[in-house]
Amino acid sequence: AMNVRPIPLLIALCGALTLSMAGFANFAVLLPEFSQLWSLSSTQAGWISGIYFVGYVAAVPLLVGLTDTVDAKKIYLWGTLVGVIGSFGFALFADGFWSAMLFRFLAGVSLAGTYMPGLQILSNRLDPSWRQRAVPWYTSSFGIGSGFSYYYSGQMAEHMEWPLIFQFAGLMQVLCVVLILIAVVPRQPSGTVGERHPLDFRPVFSNRSAMAYILGYVGHSYELFAFRAWIVAFLVFAALAANADVSRADIALYVTIYSLIGMPASIIGAYLAESRDRSRVLSVITATSFVVGAVYGFLAGQPLVWVVVIGGLYSVIIMSDSAAFTAGTVKMARPGERGATLAVHSVCGFSGGFLGPLLVGTVLDVAGGQGSYMAWGLAGLTMGAGSL
């Protein structure tokens, strides 16, 4: 009925998500450099990592809420342009804590204008059977986007000045604008919101079963984004502690692999939760995740190969409940409230994504800094607390 070819559209949107996320990890990869360059405390570095999610949370209710009444293509293009400003702005003007905060905030607003609106572009253009198949592939390509961002940032960090890394991200986002303009046909949303104002989220909070999955997702996001913000800095410390000869590019490659193996882990976890008792599957995954996280920070000083392998295992466990929580939320959403329910899911989840990096940074500072074994051990415990 919609004469849209589903597979080319899905590939284009997965590609666009990857390009639009080019700036996702460049601060995390360069965190040790910026800490020295701008004399940042770990708490300040945690703020700069976390403010990205504040930008996302601030913008998502408006930008995702509007996709019920405005063509999501327009919102996507607007969101990507904000990302271009965030990337080039950081490259040209960031010179310390406050300017870095501003441009990372804009980068987070950009993610709000692209990630879920991209899902709405698909939903508005695909028939229901294709929609069900497309959603897990689209959401898990978030892992490809973050992996790509870690990878090129680490490779470029070895050979060039940091502003070029942010300029490269900006160029990728310009490519994303071109791709969306060419690949996506405009289409007005046909859905009616009914009596509810599109920005009225109150009914979602009275939906107890949906809120249970949403709160579980908060803990998941807290742990995941704390892990992603601090893992490069931790592996740098673990390599020094083990006297291992590895470069920043090697470490960024390990973290890229962590991001990529998260994609099948998330799809398999969602399948298991779907085919068995969802709450029991999620309880087992989150309990395991807490135990591994609690141990992980104390591994510094062990041979680096163990630290890297167990980091990969931890990453898989963290990711295996991701899509299962989101699918649970979607399943429990009441008719006519799915957009609103997903907006609340995103806002609450990414609020956890803001708190995680910040609390881990604060614990590092209080317990002795990024050069202390004890501090990293307690940081791992703080991370795993999300799953607990």
Side-chain angles (χ1 to χ4, degrees):
M2 312 218 174
N3 61 40
V4 171
R5 303 218 307 278
I7 292 175
L9 181 65
L10 178 60
I11 291 171
L13 279 163
C14 290
L17 181 61
T18 303
L19 291 172
S20 73
M21 286 181 65
F24 177 79
N26 40 22
F27 182 79
V29 170
L30 295 162
L31 191 152
E33 275 90 343
F34 285 126
S35 293
Q36 285 183 323
L37 185 67
W38 295 335
S39 316
L40 301 173
S41 68
S42 295
T43 305
Q44 288 177 311
W47 266 106
I48 298 170
S49 294
I51 199 73
Y52 180 87
F53 300 106
V54 176
Y56 181 90
V57 165
V60 110
L62 178 64
L63 297 180
V64 178
L66 281 176
T67 57
D68 284 332
T69 45
V70 180
D71 184 2
K73 177 181 178 177
K74 287 181 186 163
I75 291 170
Y76 200 107
L77 290 168
W78 185 88
T80 313
L81 288 171
V82 172
V84 172
I85 296 166
S87 294
F88 282 111
F90 198 106
L92 300 172
F93 304 116
D95 59 0
F97 177 69
W98 290 107
S99 50
M101 289 275 281
L102 170 67
F103 292 114
R104 291 307 285 167
F105 179 85
L106 290 177
V109 171
S110 172
L111 183 69
T114 50
Y115 181 40
M116 286 291 158
L119 196 55
Q120 288 286 59
I121 289 178
L122 278 172
S123 300
N124 287 336
R125 287 164 181 77
L126 299 181
D127 60 44
S129 66
W130 264 104
R131 202 176 303 160
Q132 287 304 312
R133 278 182 280 179
V135 168
W137 289 97
Y138 175 78
T139 53
S140 59
S141 62
F142 191 94
I144 299 177
S146 53
F148 170 63
S149 187
Y150 278 111
Y151 181 73
Y152 88 80
S153 301
Q155 296 301 317
M156 290 175 77
E158 292 286 295
H159 307 294
M160 47 195 78
E161 297 292 298
W162 67 262
L164 285 167
I165 296 175
F166 285 85
Q167 287 169 353
F168 179 82
L171 285 173
M172 292 298 102
Q173 290 161 319
V174 170
L175 275 178
C176 176
V177 170
V178 174
L179 177 61
I180 291 292
L181 282 171
I182 294 171
V184 179
V185 290
R187 180 183 185 80
Q188 274 309 109
S190 53
T192 50
V193 186
E195 298 301 302
R196 187 180 61 82
H197 187 278
L199 301 179
D200 176 14
F201 302 113
R202 286 170 304 183
V204 180
F205 290 97
S206 65
N207 182 347
R208 285 189 56 175
S209 44
M211 284 309 295
Y213 287 114
I214 288 172
L215 292 174
Y217 185 68
V218 172
H220 158 75
S221 302
Y222 163 101
E223 184 177 25
L224 172 67
F225 292 115
F227 180 83
R228 291 206 169 147
W230 286 104
I231 186 61
V232 174
F234 175 65
L235 290 175
V236 168
F237 173 71
L240 283 170
N243 287 319
D245 181 28
V246 292
S247 67
R248 178 62 48 82
D250 295 332
I251 288 175
L253 177 62
Y254 304 148
V255 178
T256 301
I257 294 167
Y258 293 174
S259 271
L260 295 179
I261 54 181
M263 183 177 174
S266 183
I267 292 175
I268 292 165
Y271 172 77
L272 280 174
E274 196 61 48
S275 59
R276 291 183 171 73
D277 174 359
R278 187 183 298 274
S279 57
R280 182 170 299 158
V281 170
L282 284 169
S283 298
V284 169
I285 293 172
T286 46
T288 311
S289 193
F290 170 68
V291 172
V292 178
V295 173
Y296 188 55
F298 291 103
L299 292 178
Q302 302 302 315
L304 189 65
V305 60
W306 284 109
V307 182
V308 170
V309 168
I310 293 171
L313 177 70
Y314 188 29
S315 185
V316 163
I317 299 167
I318 292 176
M319 277 307 293
S320 37
D321 58 8
S322 181
F325 276 124
T326 303
T329 302
V330 169
K331 201 166 187 176
M332 296 302 170
R334 300 190 191 112
E337 288 176 18
R338 185 177 299 160
T341 307
L342 273 177
V344 172
H345 180 81
S346 287
V347 166
C348 294
F350 280 80
S351 300
F354 156 69
L355 282 173
L358 178 59
L359 281 176
V360 170
T362 307
V363 167
L364 281 169
D365 271 346
V366 171
Q370 292 178 40
S372 153
Y373 288 93
M374 192 63 192
W376 280 112
L378 294 173
L381 263 170
T382 309
M383 245 178 241
S387 273
L388 192 64

